[in-house]
């Protein structure tokens, strides 16, 4: 039924098939192949269509103790049966609240609805009008790296400055100076509601159309600070690779008919979405939001991206009432979103009516297994805990915690859920996890 959700069924067996082949001389007679050896039960199995759905009364009773936790602050939530789309439980699900990084669920969904999952972003070097000057033209790829070929960087499959430099040298064009064209993106580089201290904190960088490692100063370090000048950093790295003065790099616009000297491409969209969702990558989210904007002929800006994302969700019949978003990442403290919209996106992916959204389920971190959920839902005292059975996008800001995803309940029924907690207390994260965990541990009938 729900192909993307079957990965939740992480039971312990593995497939162990053995096939025997006739390796002797060929003969005219055809002999039946030897039957394969017995196999173990598969480790990943589909959920059953016949699993009973929980009742609204059952869910309400089961959730009552956990939703009463005062450290949840203001809680907005909705739980839906994935297959039928029937709402099973809600609490102020139409109240616009601060969603934090669960906003990335909307960005991912809009990208899947709009773009080819194998789409790549191209960064170019072109010849300027002045002899000897080359221009690095940003195409919107924040994963470009100055690391040498073969050296690890933050993003798998990232394009390299060294490849651009090699192509420029092979072109035979003389190089005396490097400029950088960032005109693809418009509007401010920082969204309303962003804290500038988050640059030093490693959560964000100014959003420019060409960046090195999404602005990270130390590309392979989790807590790396970000740069204030990511586009200039990329230009200086190219200048250094080409043996010209990096201090002379300037920002400019490239001629429309400039001769292309070199180009590199990003990883496919689906891989970039996976990186974004599992690491909750804010810079990646903002750049992918701009890809959606470009596909809908909107400005590649914060405003253009938000408008494009919500427009695409509405075309998929997802209710976006109450959404007031400043960015595509959820980092802005001014973002507002309802649990109804969040759950609506996940239900569209898990239900039968929007197959193009099905990959969204595979992008969600696995409880106790991957991404931002790798260290959560790991209580060894529960035999029927949600580890492996729940997938969700997390969201965390000061006094805000959120979860939006899917879970298979004790009876084998797949549920979608969205939970947003604002004005949370000191144990707010564990409190919201307890609400989600309840959905796994009971049949709730």
């Amino acid at each position: 039924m729900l192909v993307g959700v079957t990965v939740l069924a992480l039971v312990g067996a593995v497939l162990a098939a053995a096939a025997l082949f006739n390796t002797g001389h060929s003969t005219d007679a055809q002999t039946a192949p030897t039957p394969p050896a017995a196999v173990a039960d598969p480790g990943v199995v589909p959920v059953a269509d016949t699993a009973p759905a929980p009742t609204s009364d059952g869910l309400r009773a089961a959730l009552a103790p956990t939703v009463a936790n005062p450290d949840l602050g203001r809680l907005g939530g909705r739980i839906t049966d994935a297959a039928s789309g029937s709402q099973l439980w809600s609490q102020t699900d139409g109240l616009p609240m601060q969603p934090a990084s669960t906003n990335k669920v909307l960005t991912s969904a809009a990208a899947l609805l709009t773009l080819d999952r194998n789409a790549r972003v191209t960064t170019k070097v072109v010849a300027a009008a002045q002899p000897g000057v080359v221009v690095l033209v940003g195409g919107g790829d924040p994963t470009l790296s100055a690391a040498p070929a073969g050296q690890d960087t933050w993003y798998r499959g990232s394009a390299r400055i060294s490849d651009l430099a090699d192509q420029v040298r092979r072109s035979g064009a003389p190089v005396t100076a490097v400029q950088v064209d960032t005109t693809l993106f418009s509007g401010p580089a920082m969204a309303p509601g962003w804290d500038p201290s988050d640059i030093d904190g490693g959560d964000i960088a100014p959003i420019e159309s060409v960046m090195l490692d999404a602005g990270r100063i130390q590309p392979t370090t989790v807590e790396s600070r970000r740069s204030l000048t990511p586009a200039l950093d990329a230009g200086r790295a190219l200048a250094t690779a080409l043996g010209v003065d990096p201090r002379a790099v300037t920002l400019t616009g490239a001629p429309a008919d400039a001769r292309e000297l070199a180009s590199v491409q990003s990883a496919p969209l689906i891989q970039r979405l996976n990186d974004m969702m599992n690491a909750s990558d804010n810079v990646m989210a903002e750049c992918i939001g701009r890809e959606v904007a470009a596909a809908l002929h909107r400005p590649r800006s914060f405003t253009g991206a938000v408008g494009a994302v919500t427009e695409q969700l509405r075309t998929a019949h997802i209710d976006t009432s109450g959404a007031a978003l400043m960015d595509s990442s959820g980092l802005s403290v001014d973002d507002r979103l309802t649990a109804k919209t969040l759950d609506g996106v996940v239900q569209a992916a898990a239900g039968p009516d929007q197959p193009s959204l099905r990959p969204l389920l595979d992008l969600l971190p696995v409880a106790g297994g991957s991404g931002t959920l790798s260290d959560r839902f790991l209580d060894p005292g529960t035999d029927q805990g949600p580890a492996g059975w729940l997938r969700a996008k997390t969201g965390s800001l000061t006094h805000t915690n959120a979860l939006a995803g899917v879970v298979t309940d004790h009876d084998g029924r797949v549920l979608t859920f969205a939970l947003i907690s604002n004005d949370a207390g000191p144990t707010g994260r564990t409190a919201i996890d307890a609400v989600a965990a309840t959905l796994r541990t009971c049949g709730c009938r």
Side-chain angles (χ1 to χ4, degrees), residues 5-11 366-369 377-378 385-391 408:
V5 184
T6 63
V7 293
L8 297 173
L10 302 180
V11 297
V366 179
F377 298 101
L378 290 174
W389 296 95
L390 179 149
R391 300 189 75 139
T408 304

Side-chain angles (χ1 to χ4, degrees), residues 286-306:
E286 300 303 336
C287 291
I288 290 175
R290 283 160 171 76
E291 289 182 58
V292 177
L296 298 185
H297 309 291
R298 289 176 175 260
R300 301 190 200 201
S301 63
F302 288 107
T303 302
V306 165

